[in-house]
Amino acid sequence: MILENRDYTAARDYKTYDTERLREEYLIKDIFVEDEIHIVYCYVDRIIAGGVYPVHKEVVLSSVPELRAAHFLDRREMGVINIAGDGYIKVDGKKYPLNHFDCLYLGRENEEIIFGSNDPKNPAKFWLCSSPAHRKTENRLISLPDAVHLHLGSKEECNERTINKYIIVPKVDSCQLSMGLTHLEPGSVWNTMPCHTHARRMEVYFYFDMEENQAIFHFMGPKEETRHIMIHNEEAVISPSWSIHAGCSTKNYTFIWGMCGENQDYDDMDNIDVKDLL
């Protein structure tokens, strides 16, 4: 298990950060380590996000000292999406197949959690998000066709995309976690523009399906003090509640969004007009 801790950051302090400090605070990189789990525990709404990459053997998700719990999900819920080859997750002896773009939601009080790949030559890659949970909820396997689909944008605005909502109320009865996958069509490069904030919850973006020489300019910060972080394939970025979160790439791409906080209403956003961005 590889664990990183990220502390709170304030909008006032953020204004003084240079590129190195921005990346140190908000970028999650080197996510998929062979036969390992690499997670980041961020104190913003206590989210945990990261990757599991079982290639030659199964990988067990154990608790970490920071949780002061016997099991990882004793007081937490979790969403997992597989972005690569076919795999599975064993939860207290029950085996859930997770093929490409399948999602598994796990409620609190699940104990033994084991990740595996069907074929080491085409292994699974699992991206996970976990948040605190105040009650026990039902485990749920959601395939891509079963997700709630929302088509937005246009070719003229270079932001034609499909938002696939996996863990969303009332589709899944989660405590506070929301999670989904957005795919941009060829010729489209912008996501979440016009942009927004939502003070009721924070968000993590995980970008993937990118070519080696491709990059995303991920924009963040308060509307009057925006910055960008360069993101490459299979890297993620933490977005505090006070920050916008939008990206523009050299080519279309896919990303997974995970949110936790006070409000699960997907449409509860504080929209910002492009003309007001500085």
Side-chain angles (χ1 to χ4, degrees), residues 137-193:
T137 51
E138 183 179 355
N139 298 342
R140 181 79 182 275
L141 180 64
I142 312 108
S143 66
L144 180 60
D146 290 334
V148 177
H149 310 290
L150 178 63
H151 193 75
L152 293 176
S154 67
K155 293 187 183 300
E156 291 75 15
E157 296 172 306
C158 302
N159 66 353
E160 185 181 11
R161 63 199 187 276
T162 300
I163 301 171
N164 305 285
K165 304 175 187 178
Y166 289 97
I167 302 173
I168 194 81
V169 175
K171 180 76 176 179
V172 174
D173 181 30
S174 65
C175 291
Q176 63 165 312
L177 181 67
S178 298
M179 198 169 177
L181 180 150
T182 299
H183 176 73
L184 275 71
E185 297 298 326
S188 289
V189 294
W190 278 104
N191 76 69
T192 325
M193 184 61 69

Side-chain angles (χ1 to χ4, degrees), residues 12 20 133 167 184 194 225 233 258:
R12 180 181 298 179
E20 182 179 359
I167 302 173
L184 275 71
E225 193 83 29
N233 190 43

Side-chain angles (χ1 to χ4, degrees), residues 28 31 49-51 79-81 125-129 179 204 206 236 256:
I28 304 175
I31 290 169
V80 183
I81 297 177
K125 288 182 176 180
F126 301 103
W127 172 256
L128 67 84
C129 289
M179 198 169 177
V204 176
F206 167 62
I256 294 172

Side-chain angles (χ1 to χ4, degrees), residues 41-265:
Y41 187 172
C42 178
Y43 294 129
V44 181
D45 287 321
R46 300 283 172 176
I47 197 168
I48 294 177
V52 187
Y53 191 28
V55 179
H56 302 291
K57 63 180 183 179
E58 295 181 330
V59 179
V60 178
L61 179 63
S62 56
S63 187
V64 291
E66 284 79 358
L67 298 181
R68 299 296 193 272
H71 308 97
F72 190 88
L73 292 183
D74 277 356
R75 299 185 298 270
R76 286 185 156 266
E77 59 185 347
M78 182 171 69
V80 183
I81 297 177
N82 181 11
I83 68 163
D86 294 347
Y88 58 88
I89 302 177
K90 297 177 183 176
V91 182
D92 292 337
K94 182 176 180 179
K95 187 175 182 179
Y96 294 89
L98 250 73
N99 300 326
H100 189 243
F101 285 173
D102 284 347
C103 174
L104 179 63
Y105 169 77
L106 297 175
R108 65 177 283 170
E109 299 178 28
N110 288 289
E111 296 184 358
E112 185 182 56
I113 303 170
I114 302 171
F115 296 84
S117 295
N118 293 355
D119 182 359
K121 295 181 180 179
N122 184 27
K125 288 182 176 180
F126 301 103
W127 172 256
L128 67 84
C129 289
S130 171
S131 60
H134 64 280
R135 61 185 172 89
K136 187 174 182 178
T137 51
E138 183 179 355
N139 298 342
R140 181 79 182 275
L141 180 64
I142 312 108
S143 66
L144 180 60
D146 290 334
V148 177
H149 310 290
L150 178 63
H151 193 75
L152 293 176
S154 67
K155 293 187 183 300
E156 291 75 15
E157 296 172 306
C158 302
N159 66 353
E160 185 181 11
R161 63 199 187 276
T162 300
I163 301 171
N164 305 285
K165 304 175 187 178
Y166 289 97
I167 302 173
I168 194 81
V169 175
K171 180 76 176 179
V172 174
D173 181 30
S174 65
C175 291
Q176 63 165 312
L177 181 67
S178 298
M179 198 169 177
L181 180 150
T182 299
H183 176 73
L184 275 71
E185 297 298 326
S188 289
V189 294
W190 278 104
N191 76 69
T192 325
M193 184 61 69
C195 62
H196 61 265
T197 59
H198 28 68
R200 276 68 59 191
R201 56 184 181 265
M202 63 85 69
E203 193 159 8
V204 176
Y205 274 15
F206 167 62
Y207 291 102
F208 64 103
D209 276 356
M210 298 165 58
E211 297 173 0
E212 182 179 0
N213 200 33
Q214 184 178 347
I216 288 176
F217 296 78
H218 178 88
F219 297 97
M220 65 173 299
K223 67 177 182 178
E224 67 277 0
E225 193 83 29
T226 59
R227 304 277 192 276
H228 77 266
I229 297 178
M230 297 301 298
I231 306 284
H232 297 279
N233 190 43
E234 296 183 354
E235 294 182 343
V237 63
I238 297 166
S239 179
S241 302
W242 45 262
S243 176
I244 67 166
H245 34 281
C248 184
S249 177
T250 53
K251 195 176 180 181
N252 66 316
Y253 51 93
T254 306
F255 68 98
I256 294 172
W257 43 269
M259 295 186 284
C260 66
E262 183 177 353
N263 193 334
Q264 291 175 285
D265 181 0

Side-chain angles (χ1 to χ4, degrees), residues 14-27 220 227-231:
Y14 151 90
K15 295 182 180 183
T16 68
Y17 292 174
D18 59 12
T19 300
E20 182 179 359
R21 182 67 185 278
L22 279 174
R23 294 174 66 84
E24 178 183 329
E25 295 290 345
Y26 304 114
L27 181 67
M220 65 173 299
R227 304 277 192 276
H228 77 266
I229 297 178
M230 297 301 298
I231 306 284

